[in-house]
Amino acid sequence: MALLKIKFSQKKRVKLAQGLWLMNWFSVFAGIIVFSLGLFLKIELRKRSEVMDNSESHFVPNSLILMGILSCAFNGFAGKICYDSLDPAKFVKWKPLLKPYLALCFLFNILIFFVALICFLMRGSLESTLAQGLKNGMKFYRDTDTPGRCFMKKTIDMLQIEFKCCGNNGFKDWFEIQWISNRYLDFSSKEVKDRIKSNVDGRYLVDGVPFSCCNPNSPRPCIQYQITNNSAHYSYDYQTEELNLWRRGCREALLYYYSSMMSSMGAVVLLVWLFEISVMVGLRLLHTSLESIANPEDPECESEGWILENSLKDSLKSALESLKKISKFNQVEADAEGEEGGKTPAVTTVS
């Protein structure tokens, strides 16, 4: 028994073809949207590539861009088929191409669904990328005179100001690295010498943070040095005072920004996928309803359209049997080639 078998009159076939033509052009527009979303995400990731450890995060925008281009191509082609199906004479040339085209559409829809899932599942990979990238970027913060790294200070400062964050996981991350360049240290000062000597690696570590960590909403002037020293500031308690620094780490801020963006894009791609599925089903019904016309010379006669010629169970069985036959055929061919290769020419001796 055929799956989703529907009877069609000529009027219904015409309406279906016209509706599908319109839906395909809506899908082309949706493909442009997906392409634009991928391009926007790629630009946003490029802006902060200095604080990302690898290029794996670009898999999502690249996939969205590819899906957008393929969606425009597939649906533009399908729109042409639907338009020509209104004229039986024009539709004849598309008949041999429809089955392979529908198979490609099926694969394309699987890819769209996969891309939508990736948009939701990239959070873990993105988190590790940001954590390592920010850690490396903070190490190079002081290298304002080093070629290739001189921009890092500006990048980190602008990042912390824009996203209202401080450090990798929090402001205390700055206590563990030397973020002040040696160029601005007075090595004749006893305090500087003592701090460098007290550190095994010979680094100048302070309980301070860059100015970009300061929260301008705080009524108190920013305390960015000697943060843990209560006696260094009037009416100040490090443990209980609401510090006038950004409390959130930049990894968390960027992760929330990008993951929420990708989740929104994933939702859009899922909607596009559902729309593409409906277009593919409609195109299949149009294809079978036109093929099953009993008398091609009488286009006004009724016909039947279906999704699968047999039930889903029978269709799966026949597909598995076809795969088995193909595998057996390949095995027989391989055995035949092996036998031919293993034959040795007979040698006769004359005594």
Side-chain angles (χ1 to χ4, degrees), residues 27 30-31 34 71 109 112 267-277:
S27 294
V34 171
S71 179
N109 280 295
I112 290 181
V268 172
V269 175
L270 272 179
L271 288 173
V272 172
W273 173 71
L274 290 171
F275 199 74
E276 291 285 353
I277 288 287

Side-chain angles (χ1 to χ4, degrees), residues 17-213:
Q18 289 173 338
L20 284 173
W21 178 82
L22 190 62
M23 287 176 72
N24 274 296
W25 287 110
F26 272 123
S27 294
V28 169
F29 180 68
I32 293 169
I33 291 172
V34 171
F35 175 84
S36 303
L37 289 174
L39 197 62
F40 173 75
L41 182 57
K42 194 170 184 68
I43 292 168
E44 285 297 302
L45 289 170
R46 285 280 183 193
K47 281 182 185 177
R48 297 166 189 95
S49 57
E50 296 88 357
V51 293
M52 293 187 176
D53 187 46
N54 54 47
S55 58
E56 286 179 12
S57 53
H58 287 274
F59 177 74
V60 172
N62 290 342
S63 300
L64 290 172
I65 289 168
L66 179 62
M67 288 301 104
I69 293 169
L70 289 176
S71 179
C72 291
F74 272 90
N75 290 293
F77 183 69
K80 174 64 175 170
I81 292 173
C82 293
Y83 182 78
D84 285 350
S85 65
L86 296 171
D87 184 354
K90 288 182 179 179
F91 180 72
V92 172
K93 65 180 179 182
W94 298 116
K95 270 190 176 182
L97 298 174
L98 271 172
K99 278 189 178 179
Y101 174 75
L102 285 166
L104 286 173
C105 282
F106 182 73
L107 293 173
F108 174 63
N109 280 295
I110 291 173
L111 285 174
I112 290 181
F113 184 71
F114 175 72
V115 170
L117 284 181
I118 290 295
C119 288
F120 293 109
L121 300 175
M122 275 296 287
R123 183 184 173 91
S125 174
L126 187 63
E127 185 173 9
S128 59
T129 296
L130 285 168
Q132 191 58 44
L134 283 165
K135 188 178 178 181
N136 293 335
M138 288 170 66
K139 284 180 183 176
F140 302 142
Y141 182 88
R142 64 173 181 167
D143 296 341
T144 51
D145 298 324
T146 307
R149 295 178 187 170
C150 55
F151 60 87
M152 192 56 75
K153 179 185 179 300
K154 180 184 176 182
T155 300
I156 297 291
D157 282 335
M158 293 303 294
L159 179 70
Q160 293 187 147
I161 292 168
E162 182 182 351
F163 285 91
K164 300 179 180 179
C165 60
C166 184
N168 190 345
N169 299 305
F171 67 90
K172 288 184 181 179
D173 293 335
W174 289 108
F175 300 176
E176 300 170 5
I177 62 169
Q178 181 182 336
W179 55 272
I180 301 173
S181 173
N182 289 338
R183 179 182 178 182
Y184 305 107
L185 294 175
D186 181 9
F187 286 95
S188 63
S189 169
K190 185 178 182 300
E191 183 191 349
V192 173
K193 286 180 180 178
D194 290 344
R195 281 192 177 275
I196 291 173
K197 284 179 182 178
S198 65
N199 190 278
V200 178
D201 298 329
R203 293 178 296 168
Y204 181 75
L205 303 181
V206 293
D207 57 342
V209 296
F211 79 96
S212 52
C213 283

